[in-house]
Amino acid sequence: MKRILFKNEIIIILLALFIIVPLFAYSAIPRGLVQIKGKAYNDMLNTAKEMNLPLYLRLPGSIIVGGEHSDMDLLNIKGYKTKYISDISGYKFYVVSSMEKCNIEDAKRVGEVILYEDDIFLIRSIKEVDVLQVSSRERLKITPLKLKPLSHRNIKEGKCRDVQYDPEIAAIISQVDTNSVRGYLEDLQGFDTRYMKALNRFTVADSIRNIFLNMGITDVVFDTFYTSFVDPNGDSMQVNVVATIPGTKDTTEVYIVGGHWDSIIWPDTTIAYTLAPGADDNGTGATATLEIARILTSNPPDRTVIFIAFASEELGEYGSDHYATNASASGMNIRCMFNYDMIGYYENTNYFYILKYPGSEMYMNLLGGSSEIYTSLIPEIYPQFMQAADAWEFYQEGYCVTFALEYIWGNLHTVHDSLPYVSVPYVSEIIKAGLA
């Protein structure tokens, strides 16, 4: 009898292990995606954190979290507006936008539209979307929603202040050199391609690293990561190049200046393996990063500035996602990320765009005010909320960002995106505005 009872006890324990424990494990995974809106942004973030709801996406007026219908009931009691967007199990999710206005018919070609806010679509699909093929065909920016929990960090809105002329700042920005700017652009275009799947990408990264080192910056490192995209040799490794100038008064606060160095050709990406000059997109942004680093090397900043040439932006901001995720996890105190992407198309003269991200208005105004006082530029606020750039990944982790963009663009992602179609004086003026 004791033996039978002991056998039954073993059966009960095994049932607990194989049935009850998995149920507890499953309950820890949110059932679905829930949209929260209706209150101040930081209030939404704080409430989601208090309720242990994983944050998956920040949008201009709402946040997307993982949750259950019972969570929605509690949120509604607290005065929030909620919407159950989709079950999570069995689906792949993508964030879709475009440099031009993205309409719902374009988005539907990617998958089922489950949410739309400020020209950004959230798409779900039962099958994995071939981002490379669909992006090139539809001229869309398609980024997989990775469903990795983001930081609930509040964006601390600073007080906007007037920009006053400072002769010391004017003297520093006068060091922006058009010959230096042209030289960096020639170096970058000289690789013929900087496509993330091309075999020469490590040579490009090594060249950028040497440029930083030759400036006299001693802290220059490769920040490596892997993506789902492989080169002809089956290698998926990618490389950000990170150079740090420590602050002379404070090394705990960090500012980041960045621009991606990779290029691409649409719609026939096979050309990009050998030819994707990417002078404007984004040789100009990488050049801005290098030129500002060159000048601050001899004019050391009070706060630490980290300069990053990001890899793998064109197919999904993988380099900036990797860096921002790790920075957030380590508690890096990033005050603002300054992003430069496409700042040189030759038809531009004075106007340029500053992109607005909620909570970052102080830096947006500083960039605009600096451009008006120290340059010939005329700033305008970009009319759309843009997901398609490296600044997006830092914004998703709760950091302030600002983003300079040319007013008119052309030759985007073509073999004609080359130096004859870039205005070096225009690039230099935008560099001066950001440096100021």
mmCIF file of all heavy atoms in Angstrom, residues 151-184:
data_model
loop_
_atom_site.group_PDB
_atom_site.id
_atom_site.type_symbol
_atom_site.label_atom_id
_atom_site.label_comp_id
_atom_site.label_asym_id
_atom_site.label_seq_id
_atom_site.Cartn_x
_atom_site.Cartn_y
_atom_site.Cartn_z
ATOM 1 N N SER A 151 12.637 50.456 -21.764
ATOM 2 C CA SER A 151 12.669 51.156 -20.490
ATOM 3 C C SER A 151 11.426 52.036 -20.348
ATOM 4 O O SER A 151 10.976 52.650 -21.323
ATOM 5 C CB SER A 151 13.925 52.024 -20.401
ATOM 6 O OG SER A 151 13.856 52.900 -19.292
ATOM 7 N N HIS A 152 10.879 52.099 -19.134
ATOM 8 C CA HIS A 152 9.765 53.011 -18.842
ATOM 9 C C HIS A 152 10.283 54.409 -18.504
ATOM 10 O O HIS A 152 9.536 55.235 -17.973
ATOM 11 C CB HIS A 152 8.931 52.489 -17.670
ATOM 12 C CG HIS A 152 8.173 51.228 -17.971
ATOM 13 N ND1 HIS A 152 8.720 49.976 -17.843
ATOM 14 C CD2 HIS A 152 6.896 51.031 -18.397
ATOM 15 C CE1 HIS A 152 7.831 49.056 -18.159
ATOM 16 N NE2 HIS A 152 6.706 49.667 -18.502
ATOM 17 N N ARG A 153 11.538 54.672 -18.807
ATOM 18 C CA ARG A 153 12.164 55.951 -18.462
ATOM 19 C C ARG A 153 11.318 57.130 -18.920
ATOM 20 O O ARG A 153 10.856 57.191 -20.058
ATOM 21 C CB ARG A 153 13.554 56.005 -19.110
ATOM 22 C CG ARG A 153 14.317 57.294 -18.874
ATOM 23 C CD ARG A 153 15.647 57.301 -19.626
ATOM 24 N NE ARG A 153 16.566 56.303 -19.102
ATOM 25 C CZ ARG A 153 16.836 55.155 -19.704
ATOM 26 N NH1 ARG A 153 16.245 54.856 -20.856
ATOM 27 N NH2 ARG A 153 17.679 54.298 -19.186
ATOM 28 N N ASN A 154 11.125 58.070 -17.993
ATOM 29 C CA ASN A 154 10.442 59.313 -18.352
ATOM 30 C C ASN A 154 11.403 60.216 -19.108
ATOM 31 O O ASN A 154 12.587 60.306 -18.756
ATOM 32 C CB ASN A 154 9.985 60.065 -17.104
ATOM 33 C CG ASN A 154 8.770 59.435 -16.448
ATOM 34 O OD1 ASN A 154 8.189 60.015 -15.547
ATOM 35 N ND2 ASN A 154 8.386 58.240 -16.860
ATOM 36 N N ILE A 155 10.911 60.866 -20.144
ATOM 37 C CA ILE A 155 11.704 61.894 -20.809
ATOM 38 C C ILE A 155 11.532 63.180 -20.007
ATOM 39 O O ILE A 155 10.425 63.693 -19.855
ATOM 40 C CB ILE A 155 11.254 62.105 -22.266
ATOM 41 C CG1 ILE A 155 11.549 60.848 -23.093
ATOM 42 C CG2 ILE A 155 11.954 63.311 -22.877
ATOM 43 C CD1 ILE A 155 11.161 60.957 -24.542
ATOM 44 N N LYS A 156 12.645 63.646 -19.462
ATOM 45 C CA LYS A 156 12.595 64.834 -18.615
ATOM 46 C C LYS A 156 12.645 66.083 -19.476
ATOM 47 O O LYS A 156 13.683 66.423 -20.041
ATOM 48 C CB LYS A 156 13.769 64.809 -17.617
ATOM 49 C CG LYS A 156 13.728 63.614 -16.668
ATOM 50 C CD LYS A 156 14.951 63.575 -15.764
ATOM 51 C CE LYS A 156 14.908 62.343 -14.861
ATOM 52 N NZ LYS A 156 16.118 62.258 -13.996
ATOM 53 N N GLU A 157 11.519 66.720 -19.574
ATOM 54 C CA GLU A 157 11.429 67.905 -20.426
ATOM 55 C C GLU A 157 12.163 69.073 -19.784
ATOM 56 O O GLU A 157 11.865 69.463 -18.659
ATOM 57 C CB GLU A 157 9.963 68.272 -20.675
ATOM 58 C CG GLU A 157 9.160 67.174 -21.376
ATOM 59 C CD GLU A 157 7.752 67.604 -21.694
ATOM 60 O OE1 GLU A 157 7.544 68.812 -21.887
ATOM 61 O OE2 GLU A 157 6.865 66.741 -21.743
ATOM 62 N N GLY A 158 13.155 69.618 -20.484
ATOM 63 C CA GLY A 158 13.874 70.785 -19.986
ATOM 64 C C GLY A 158 13.125 72.061 -20.330
ATOM 65 O O GLY A 158 12.218 72.075 -21.167
ATOM 66 N N LYS A 159 13.484 73.123 -19.663
ATOM 67 C CA LYS A 159 12.856 74.404 -19.936
ATOM 68 C C LYS A 159 13.456 75.017 -21.196
ATOM 69 O O LYS A 159 14.676 75.099 -21.337
ATOM 70 C CB LYS A 159 13.056 75.356 -18.753
ATOM 71 C CG LYS A 159 12.311 74.928 -17.495
ATOM 72 C CD LYS A 159 12.504 75.953 -16.378
ATOM 73 C CE LYS A 159 11.727 75.535 -15.137
ATOM 74 N NZ LYS A 159 11.912 76.510 -14.024
ATOM 75 N N CYS A 160 12.590 75.420 -22.109
ATOM 76 C CA CYS A 160 13.065 76.067 -23.325
ATOM 77 C C CYS A 160 13.619 77.452 -22.976
ATOM 78 O O CYS A 160 13.068 78.152 -22.127
ATOM 79 C CB CYS A 160 11.931 76.197 -24.342
ATOM 80 S SG CYS A 160 11.311 74.606 -24.926
ATOM 81 N N ARG A 161 14.704 77.804 -23.583
ATOM 82 C CA ARG A 161 15.287 79.114 -23.311
ATOM 83 C C ARG A 161 15.736 79.755 -24.625
ATOM 84 O O ARG A 161 16.014 79.069 -25.598
ATOM 85 C CB ARG A 161 16.464 78.990 -22.351
ATOM 86 C CG ARG A 161 17.629 78.158 -22.858
ATOM 87 C CD ARG A 161 18.737 78.103 -21.789
ATOM 88 N NE ARG A 161 19.946 77.465 -22.273
ATOM 89 C CZ ARG A 161 20.178 76.177 -22.202
ATOM 90 N NH1 ARG A 161 19.258 75.379 -21.683
ATOM 91 N NH2 ARG A 161 21.314 75.658 -22.642
ATOM 92 N N ASP A 162 15.809 81.067 -24.597
ATOM 93 C CA ASP A 162 16.263 81.790 -25.778
ATOM 94 C C ASP A 162 17.756 81.549 -25.995
ATOM 95 O O ASP A 162 18.531 81.423 -25.048
ATOM 96 C CB ASP A 162 16.008 83.287 -25.609
ATOM 97 C CG ASP A 162 14.525 83.616 -25.597
ATOM 98 O OD1 ASP A 162 13.764 82.828 -26.174
ATOM 99 O OD2 ASP A 162 14.144 84.627 -24.987
ATOM 100 N N VAL A 163 18.130 81.472 -27.247
ATOM 101 C CA VAL A 163 19.538 81.321 -27.594
ATOM 102 C C VAL A 163 20.128 82.709 -27.814
ATOM 103 O O VAL A 163 19.632 83.475 -28.638
ATOM 104 C CB VAL A 163 19.710 80.452 -28.862
ATOM 105 C CG1 VAL A 163 21.189 80.341 -29.223
ATOM 106 C CG2 VAL A 163 19.097 79.074 -28.650
ATOM 107 N N GLN A 164 21.160 83.018 -27.052
ATOM 108 C CA GLN A 164 21.828 84.310 -27.164
ATOM 109 C C GLN A 164 23.176 84.141 -27.859
ATOM 110 O O GLN A 164 23.854 83.128 -27.678
ATOM 111 C CB GLN A 164 22.038 84.924 -25.767
ATOM 112 C CG GLN A 164 20.771 85.096 -24.964
ATOM 113 C CD GLN A 164 19.815 86.114 -25.564
ATOM 114 O OE1 GLN A 164 20.248 87.066 -26.233
ATOM 115 N NE2 GLN A 164 18.520 85.932 -25.338
ATOM 116 N N TYR A 165 23.557 85.139 -28.612
ATOM 117 C CA TYR A 165 24.849 85.090 -29.313
ATOM 118 C C TYR A 165 25.983 85.015 -28.306
ATOM 119 O O TYR A 165 26.035 85.776 -27.330
ATOM 120 C CB TYR A 165 25.015 86.307 -30.207
ATOM 121 C CG TYR A 165 26.340 86.326 -30.942
ATOM 122 C CD1 TYR A 165 26.505 85.592 -32.121
ATOM 123 C CD2 TYR A 165 27.425 87.050 -30.451
ATOM 124 C CE1 TYR A 165 27.726 85.599 -32.796
ATOM 125 C CE2 TYR A 165 28.640 87.061 -31.120
ATOM 126 C CZ TYR A 165 28.783 86.327 -32.284
ATOM 127 O OH TYR A 165 29.990 86.338 -32.937
ATOM 128 N N ASP A 166 26.922 84.106 -28.535
ATOM 129 C CA ASP A 166 28.081 83.934 -27.671
ATOM 130 C C ASP A 166 29.321 83.930 -28.566
ATOM 131 O O ASP A 166 29.477 83.041 -29.405
ATOM 132 C CB ASP A 166 27.959 82.613 -26.904
ATOM 133 C CG ASP A 166 29.081 82.406 -25.894
ATOM 134 O OD1 ASP A 166 30.221 82.834 -26.162
ATOM 135 O OD2 ASP A 166 28.823 81.786 -24.843
ATOM 136 N N PRO A 167 30.214 84.903 -28.408
ATOM 137 C CA PRO A 167 31.391 84.972 -29.290
ATOM 138 C C PRO A 167 32.288 83.743 -29.189
ATOM 139 O O PRO A 167 32.964 83.386 -30.163
ATOM 140 C CB PRO A 167 32.113 86.239 -28.829
ATOM 141 C CG PRO A 167 31.576 86.527 -27.458
ATOM 142 C CD PRO A 167 30.170 86.017 -27.449
ATOM 143 N N GLU A 168 32.319 83.090 -28.018
ATOM 144 C CA GLU A 168 33.137 81.885 -27.873
ATOM 145 C C GLU A 168 32.579 80.753 -28.735
ATOM 146 O O GLU A 168 33.334 80.022 -29.394
ATOM 147 C CB GLU A 168 33.187 81.454 -26.413
ATOM 148 C CG GLU A 168 34.121 80.280 -26.157
ATOM 149 C CD GLU A 168 34.226 79.924 -24.686
ATOM 150 O OE1 GLU A 168 33.674 80.677 -23.848
ATOM 151 O OE2 GLU A 168 34.849 78.891 -24.368
ATOM 152 N N ILE A 169 31.229 80.617 -28.726
ATOM 153 C CA ILE A 169 30.599 79.600 -29.577
ATOM 154 C C ILE A 169 30.820 79.940 -31.039
ATOM 155 O O ILE A 169 31.135 79.067 -31.860
ATOM 156 C CB ILE A 169 29.086 79.499 -29.261
ATOM 157 C CG1 ILE A 169 28.880 78.911 -27.871
ATOM 158 C CG2 ILE A 169 28.370 78.645 -30.317
ATOM 159 C CD1 ILE A 169 27.435 78.852 -27.431
ATOM 160 N N ALA A 170 30.682 81.206 -31.388
ATOM 161 C CA ALA A 170 30.888 81.625 -32.779
ATOM 162 C C ALA A 170 32.305 81.294 -33.247
ATOM 163 O O ALA A 170 32.506 80.864 -34.395
ATOM 164 C CB ALA A 170 30.624 83.123 -32.918
ATOM 165 N N ALA A 171 33.275 81.443 -32.352
ATOM 166 C CA ALA A 171 34.664 81.152 -32.723
ATOM 167 C C ALA A 171 34.858 79.655 -32.962
ATOM 168 O O ALA A 171 35.609 79.252 -33.864
ATOM 169 C CB ALA A 171 35.599 81.641 -31.621
ATOM 170 N N ILE A 172 34.188 78.846 -32.154
ATOM 171 C CA ILE A 172 34.325 77.392 -32.306
ATOM 172 C C ILE A 172 33.676 76.915 -33.596
ATOM 173 O O ILE A 172 34.270 76.140 -34.357
ATOM 174 C CB ILE A 172 33.733 76.661 -31.081
ATOM 175 C CG1 ILE A 172 34.581 76.941 -29.839
ATOM 176 C CG2 ILE A 172 33.659 75.155 -31.337
ATOM 177 C CD1 ILE A 172 33.988 76.408 -28.556
ATOM 178 N N ILE A 173 32.467 77.381 -33.882
ATOM 179 C CA ILE A 173 31.788 76.875 -35.087
ATOM 180 C C ILE A 173 32.432 77.415 -36.368
ATOM 181 O O ILE A 173 32.243 76.829 -37.439
ATOM 182 C CB ILE A 173 30.278 77.179 -35.074
ATOM 183 C CG1 ILE A 173 30.007 78.676 -35.230
ATOM 184 C CG2 ILE A 173 29.615 76.620 -33.830
ATOM 185 C CD1 ILE A 173 28.559 78.973 -35.526
ATOM 186 N N SER A 174 33.205 78.487 -36.245
ATOM 187 C CA SER A 174 33.913 78.995 -37.437
ATOM 188 C C SER A 174 34.983 78.015 -37.900
ATOM 189 O O SER A 174 35.520 78.142 -39.003
ATOM 190 C CB SER A 174 34.552 80.359 -37.132
ATOM 191 O OG SER A 174 35.629 80.222 -36.217
ATOM 192 N N GLN A 175 35.293 77.029 -37.052
ATOM 193 C CA GLN A 175 36.302 76.030 -37.400
ATOM 194 C C GLN A 175 35.756 74.930 -38.313
ATOM 195 O O GLN A 175 36.522 74.078 -38.777
ATOM 196 C CB GLN A 175 36.882 75.415 -36.122
ATOM 197 C CG GLN A 175 37.610 76.429 -35.249
ATOM 198 C CD GLN A 175 38.002 75.854 -33.896
ATOM 199 O OE1 GLN A 175 38.389 74.692 -33.794
ATOM 200 N NE2 GLN A 175 37.893 76.666 -32.855
ATOM 201 N N VAL A 176 34.442 74.924 -38.545
ATOM 202 C CA VAL A 176 33.887 73.983 -39.523
ATOM 203 C C VAL A 176 34.487 74.321 -40.878
ATOM 204 O O VAL A 176 34.395 75.453 -41.354
ATOM 205 C CB VAL A 176 32.341 74.067 -39.575
ATOM 206 C CG1 VAL A 176 31.805 73.203 -40.710
ATOM 207 C CG2 VAL A 176 31.747 73.632 -38.240
ATOM 208 N N ASP A 177 35.109 73.326 -41.494
ATOM 209 C CA ASP A 177 35.913 73.550 -42.702
ATOM 210 C C ASP A 177 35.288 72.802 -43.878
ATOM 211 O O ASP A 177 35.157 71.578 -43.855
ATOM 212 C CB ASP A 177 37.329 73.041 -42.432
ATOM 213 C CG ASP A 177 38.292 73.306 -43.571
ATOM 214 O OD1 ASP A 177 37.841 73.749 -44.645
ATOM 215 O OD2 ASP A 177 39.497 73.054 -43.391
ATOM 216 N N THR A 178 34.915 73.544 -44.909
ATOM 217 C CA THR A 178 34.295 72.907 -46.073
ATOM 218 C C THR A 178 35.240 71.918 -46.754
ATOM 219 O O THR A 178 34.799 70.916 -47.324
ATOM 220 C CB THR A 178 33.821 73.958 -47.095
ATOM 221 O OG1 THR A 178 34.923 74.801 -47.444
ATOM 222 C CG2 THR A 178 32.686 74.796 -46.523
ATOM 223 N N ASN A 179 36.532 72.184 -46.704
ATOM 224 C CA ASN A 179 37.492 71.240 -47.288
ATOM 225 C C ASN A 179 37.522 69.930 -46.506
ATOM 226 O O ASN A 179 37.626 68.842 -47.082
ATOM 227 C CB ASN A 179 38.894 71.851 -47.328
ATOM 228 C CG ASN A 179 39.014 72.992 -48.325
ATOM 229 O OD1 ASN A 179 38.405 72.939 -49.394
ATOM 230 N ND2 ASN A 179 39.777 74.014 -47.980
ATOM 231 N N SER A 180 37.431 70.048 -45.189
ATOM 232 C CA SER A 180 37.371 68.858 -44.351
ATOM 233 C C SER A 180 36.092 68.082 -44.624
ATOM 234 O O SER A 180 36.107 66.850 -44.769
ATOM 235 C CB SER A 180 37.442 69.259 -42.872
ATOM 236 O OG SER A 180 37.276 68.141 -42.037
ATOM 237 N N VAL A 181 34.980 68.796 -44.720
ATOM 238 C CA VAL A 181 33.679 68.163 -44.993
ATOM 239 C C VAL A 181 33.732 67.434 -46.335
ATOM 240 O O VAL A 181 33.318 66.267 -46.440
ATOM 241 C CB VAL A 181 32.554 69.218 -44.985
ATOM 242 C CG1 VAL A 181 31.247 68.640 -45.522
ATOM 243 C CG2 VAL A 181 32.359 69.770 -43.568
ATOM 244 N N ARG A 182 34.235 68.102 -47.352
ATOM 245 C CA ARG A 182 34.334 67.468 -48.666
ATOM 246 C C ARG A 182 35.251 66.244 -48.613
ATOM 247 O O ARG A 182 34.974 65.213 -49.234
ATOM 248 C CB ARG A 182 34.840 68.456 -49.714
ATOM 249 C CG ARG A 182 35.022 67.844 -51.109
ATOM 250 C CD ARG A 182 35.374 68.887 -52.138
ATOM 251 N NE ARG A 182 34.253 69.777 -52.384
ATOM 252 C CZ ARG A 182 33.242 69.501 -53.200
ATOM 253 N NH1 ARG A 182 33.209 68.331 -53.844
ATOM 254 N NH2 ARG A 182 32.274 70.366 -53.385
ATOM 255 N N GLY A 183 36.332 66.353 -47.869
ATOM 256 C CA GLY A 183 37.270 65.241 -47.771
ATOM 257 C C GLY A 183 36.633 63.998 -47.162
ATOM 258 O O GLY A 183 36.831 62.877 -47.662
ATOM 259 N N TYR A 184 35.849 64.173 -46.098
ATOM 260 C CA TYR A 184 35.169 63.024 -45.493
ATOM 261 C C TYR A 184 34.161 62.412 -46.481
ATOM 262 O O TYR A 184 34.050 61.187 -46.590
ATOM 263 C CB TYR A 184 34.441 63.443 -44.216
ATOM 264 C CG TYR A 184 35.350 63.847 -43.082
ATOM 265 C CD1 TYR A 184 35.031 64.936 -42.268
ATOM 266 C CD2 TYR A 184 36.526 63.153 -42.808
ATOM 267 C CE1 TYR A 184 35.853 65.318 -41.223
ATOM 268 C CE2 TYR A 184 37.353 63.528 -41.761
ATOM 269 C CZ TYR A 184 37.020 64.613 -40.972
ATOM 270 O OH TYR A 184 37.830 64.994 -39.934
#
